[in-house]
Amino acid sequence: MEVKVLTIAEDILGANKEKARRNQDRLDKHGILTVNVMSSPGAGKTSLILRTINGLKPKTRVAVIEGDVASRIDADKVHQQGVPVIQINIPGGCHLDAGMTENALNNLPLEEIDLLLIENVGNLICPAEFALGEHKKVMLLSLPEGDDKPYKYPLMFTEADIVLVNKLDLLPYLDFNITAFSQAVTGLNPKVKISPVSCKTGEGLETWFSWLEDEIRKMKNRHS
Amino acid sequence: MEVKVLTIAEDILGANKEKARRNQDRLDKHGILTVNVMSSPGAGKTSLILRTINGLKPKTRVAVIEGDVASRIDADKVHQQGVPVIQINIPGGCHLDAGMTENALNNLPLEEIDLLLIENVGNLICPAEFALGEHKKVMLLSLPEGDDKPYKYPLMFTEADIVLVNKLDLLPYLDFNITAFSQAVTGLNPKVKISPVSCKTGEGLETWFSWLEDEIRKMKNRHS
């Protein structure tokens, strides 16, 4: 029997954009660079955020919004670093949206923040479809997930401004072709920046820190 | 500043159940044990399916439904094993549902199947909420995802009949506490079976094969 391919169209996009634009205006007014952090479950979003808080301090004042279906495990880890953090729980939901983000912004000290990192729900699909008001999107793909993911979850890779290939420390134990992966991502998104990192050892993170510092500088210049 | 926790209720459940019940009646009539295979992206669903086809043949006639946002990579791998396979693509969707499953059943030779494996979209959230007509749910959690996942994605662990802890070959390189993980899962779902496996090396898969063979036998006895 031949392989049959059935294609089923489904529109799950909401009327989220206008609210996201209002959030962005508000963040712009305060000169807060806002980055939407997306990945599969367990790819290393929280580890990246903890590394970033420590890599950029004391120059950059970071705040964090944590999105999860359940639990406050990640928010508690961030809180221990002494930065403002809001945990959003979404029972049954699979992504953050602009309304939830607005709610969190109402609870953050906006005049004291240079960089806002929003950790989305662990999911390679829906978070790419819902703008929050962020200026940039970073996605993490961890090596154990496999180098075929750009073919299976193309929108996430198309939408990202920067792709961090995490868990580089596991490379010797895996069949992951970084060149093939990078070619697949660039095929979807020619302008994207791709950077291999290990949030466990710290390897490669300077590139990410420099990229963020550049973007924060541009934001400050635009709004000064 | 203290951690603030905002809880946002969201109802994304559809009127999917009646259709799922009809699918199950149809599968029962043919005596086909049907298993919904769920995990995060890249946790090893396709590898498990390929191992299962080869582990159970020639005694058990397997067929496969492959769910993905895009691509037919997985269906092509299954097709190479010489078993019937249907690829369902769902642009913008994050889970299979009973209607898509019915569509696939219409395209499978139901009188020639003992075991139907349905590979859901890689996602730890929505697939747990939509019945397809399956008799059993297996979920894979791969070690690199971390042992805190039951707290963050509780529904998936609550709904599973069996949890396979995959990529056991990577255990020496990770901080993953299998005992703590198993306790967290059992806390959510006291009757669940938990079994560590490596779909790369084959380690631990006999337990999964025996479990499946038992369930297939029960199904045949009920419908003979």
Side-chain angles (χ1 to χ4, degrees):
Chain A
M1 195 181 121
E2 280 307 296
V3 177
K4 286 193 185 123
V5 180
L6 314 177
T7 300
I8 294 157
E10 195 180 331
D11 180 9
I12 62 162
L13 288 174
N16 182 67
K17 280 188 189 163
E18 180 49 35
K19 233 177 219 171
R21 201 160 17 232
R22 283 208 305 274
N23 288 343
Q24 203 179 64
D25 287 347
R26 191 171 169 191
L27 292 159
D28 283 348
K29 219 166 61 186
H30 288 90
I32 303 173
L33 179 75
T34 301
V35 181
N36 187 352
V37 184
M38 298 180 287
S39 80
S40 293
K45 294 182 295 303
T46 310
S47 304
L48 180 74
I49 287 171
L50 296 175
R51 283 275 184 188
T52 306
I53 291 166
N54 285 292
L56 299 188
K57 77 178 179 191
K59 213 173 115 194
T60 304
R61 298 167 301 171
V62 182
V64 177
I65 298 173
E66 285 289 343
D68 276 298
V69 177
S71 93
R72 48 183 282 174
I73 298 174
D74 292 344
D76 287 339
K77 286 184 193 166
V78 169
H79 182 58
Q80 283 168 18
Q81 304 298 316
V83 307
V85 58
I86 303 287
Q87 173 79 54
I88 301 180
N89 282 149
I90 328 163
C94 56
H95 59 85
L96 292 177
D97 68 23
M100 300 171 196
T101 306
E102 183 189 15
N103 198 339
L105 293 181
N106 293 341
N107 287 279
L108 280 169
L110 300 183
E111 60 296 338
E112 297 161 22
I113 302 170
D114 303 309
L115 171 64
L116 174 62
L117 298 172
I118 306 181
E119 180 174 339
N120 220 309
V121 179
N123 179 345
L124 275 196
I125 307 163
C126 314
E129 296 167 6
F130 288 81
L132 309 179
E134 75 274 21
H135 302 98
K136 297 288 173 187
K137 294 180 204 285
V138 56
M139 83 152 288
L140 280 90
L141 188 284
S142 66
L143 294 184
E145 293 172 71
D147 52 24
D148 60 351
K149 292 300 159 293
Y151 300 106
K152 294 188 183 171
Y153 304 90
L155 185 64
M156 183 62 81
F157 292 90
T158 307
E159 290 281 318
D161 295 289
I162 180 166
V163 173
L164 302 180
V165 191
N166 192 25
K167 308 200 183 179
L168 195 55
D169 50 292
L170 293 176
L171 185 58
Y173 317 113
L174 299 168
D175 307 315
F176 189 102
N177 186 328
I178 292 185
T179 309
F181 171 77
S182 300
Q183 282 168 352
V185 175
T186 310
L188 291 165
N189 185 353
K191 288 191 289 188
V192 73
K193 195 174 174 69
I194 302 169
S195 191
V197 301
S198 167
C199 292
K200 190 171 182 180
T201 67
E203 190 181 349
L205 284 170
E206 322 72 42
T207 314
W208 159 245
F209 295 158
S210 307
W211 182 85
L212 272 179
E213 284 170 333
D214 269 2
E215 294 298 333
I216 292 168
R217 200 172 307 120
K218 285 186 223 164
M219 166 64 84
K220 297 281 174 203
N221 289 344
R222 267 199 304 276
H223 298 280
S224 61
Chain B
M1 196 182 122
E2 280 307 294
V3 177
K4 286 194 185 121
V5 179
L6 314 178
T7 300
I8 294 157
E10 196 180 328
D11 180 10
I12 62 163
L13 287 174
N16 182 66
K17 280 188 190 163
E18 181 48 34
K19 234 177 219 171
R21 202 159 17 230
R22 283 207 304 272
N23 287 343
Q24 204 181 64
D25 287 348
R26 191 171 169 190
L27 293 158
D28 283 349
K29 217 166 62 185
H30 287 90
I32 302 173
L33 179 75
T34 301
V35 181
N36 187 353
V37 184
M38 299 181 285
S39 80
S40 293
K45 294 183 294 304
T46 311
S47 303
L48 179 74
I49 287 170
L50 296 175
R51 284 275 184 188
T52 306
I53 292 166
N54 285 293
L56 300 189
K57 79 179 176 189
K59 212 173 115 194
T60 304
R61 298 166 302 170
V62 182
V64 178
I65 298 173
E66 285 289 343
D68 277 298
V69 177
S71 94
R72 49 182 281 173
I73 297 174
D74 291 344
D76 287 340
K77 286 184 194 165
V78 170
H79 182 57
Q80 282 168 19
Q81 303 299 316
V83 307
V85 58
I86 302 288
Q87 174 78 54
I88 301 179
N89 282 148
I90 327 163
C94 55
H95 59 86
L96 293 177
D97 67 23
M100 300 171 195
T101 306
E102 183 189 15
N103 199 340
L105 293 181
N106 294 340
N107 287 278
L108 280 170
L110 300 183
E111 59 297 337
E112 297 161 23
I113 302 170
D114 302 308
L115 170 65
L116 175 61
L117 298 172
I118 306 180
E119 180 174 340
N120 220 309
V121 178
N123 179 345
L124 276 197
I125 306 163
C126 313
E129 296 168 5
F130 288 81
L132 309 179
E134 75 274 20
H135 302 97
K136 297 287 172 185
K137 295 180 203 284
V138 56
M139 84 151 287
L140 281 89
L141 188 283
S142 66
L143 292 184
E145 294 172 70
D147 52 25
D148 60 351
K149 292 300 159 294
Y151 300 107
K152 294 188 184 170
Y153 304 90
L155 185 65
M156 183 62 81
F157 292 91
T158 307
E159 289 282 319
D161 295 289
I162 180 165
V163 173
L164 302 180
V165 191
N166 192 24
K167 308 199 183 179
L168 195 56
D169 50 292
L170 293 176
L171 185 58
Y173 317 112
L174 298 168
D175 308 316
F176 189 102
N177 186 329
I178 292 185
T179 309
F181 171 78
S182 300
Q183 282 168 352
V185 175
T186 311
L188 291 164
N189 186 352
K191 287 190 288 187
V192 73
K193 196 176 174 69
I194 303 170
S195 190
V197 301
S198 167
C199 291
K200 191 172 181 180
T201 67
E203 190 182 349
L205 285 170
E206 323 73 43
T207 314
W208 160 245
F209 295 158
S210 307
W211 182 85
L212 272 179
E213 285 170 334
D214 269 2
E215 294 298 333
I216 292 167
R217 200 171 309 121
K218 285 186 225 164
M219 167 63 85
K220 296 283 174 202
N221 289 345
R222 266 199 304 276
H223 299 280
S224 61

